[in-house]
Amino acid sequence: MNSVNVEFGPDEFASAQGLNRWLARNGFAPTATAPDDLDLARTITLREALRSLLRENNGAPADERARRVLDRIARECPLVVGFDGGAPDTLLRPARTELPGVWAAVLAATVEARLDGTWQRLKSCREHRCEWAFYDRSRNRGSRWCSMAVCGTRAKMATYRGTRATSNAGASGG
């Protein structure tokens, strides 16, 4: 989800080169053929649908459209069960290669996070200019912002300014 800085840009998935750099940095092989515009658009669609689910983990209403998008992408990116070197745990692995395999790996990580209980701690920052994905390490799972120093302060200042404006309007008679 953090492949784009919502406030300042750039979007790493805006170009084939950017997507290939992201793939390499995150342990995936760069695509053998350059991703086309449809590949880039589908990658962004997947990212934004997942970001919407992370907003839900931070108090936003359920986004049924995002769920339908993920269901559609998942149908095109099958996962298979694999077993690692005698380990007792089963692992979900992509059945396809290239970008559909990457999308499947991302969906597999999502499923595994849901199963191991970490999913609810993954959130999207409530600051609409940010929406950075973060892991809520607080004991009560109550973190709202990716950074209290930046986004939390922005939100608190906006609330303060709104309260001041309201009280000043009331004090001036109107």
Side-chain angles (χ1 to χ4, degrees), residues 48-107:
E48 295 308 316
L50 287 169
R51 185 188 314 276
S52 184
L53 295 186
L54 294 186
R55 280 193 291 269
E56 290 178 20
N57 288 350
N58 207 354
D63 185 344
E64 292 306 318
R65 182 182 170 279
R67 283 182 170 66
R68 287 192 306 273
V69 165
L70 291 173
D71 283 343
R72 181 177 36 96
I73 292 171
R75 281 192 298 274
E76 298 168 11
C77 304
L79 295 166
V80 296
V81 176
F83 298 89
D84 253 359
D89 299 322
T90 59
L91 301 172
L92 296 174
R93 295 191 178 143
R96 295 180 62 189
T97 58
E98 291 290 308
L99 276 177
V102 172
W103 301 329
V106 169
L107 292 172

Side-chain angles (χ1 to χ4, degrees), residues 116-164:
D116 72 15
T118 58
W119 177 255
Q120 291 302 317
R121 289 189 177 270
L122 292 169
K123 297 180 176 182
S124 178
C125 183
R126 277 196 185 174
E127 173 60 38
H128 71 280
R129 291 177 287 183
C130 178
E131 295 193 350
W132 198 254
F134 70 97
Y135 188 81
D136 182 355
R137 287 178 166 48
S138 68
R139 180 175 290 167
N140 68 352
R141 300 179 186 189
S143 294
R144 296 179 188 178
W145 305 287
C146 62
S147 162
M148 190 60 204
V150 178
C151 293
T153 299
R154 282 182 183 171
K156 289 178 183 260
M157 288 303 295
T159 300
Y160 172 76
R161 283 189 214 110
T163 303
R164 272 231 29 189

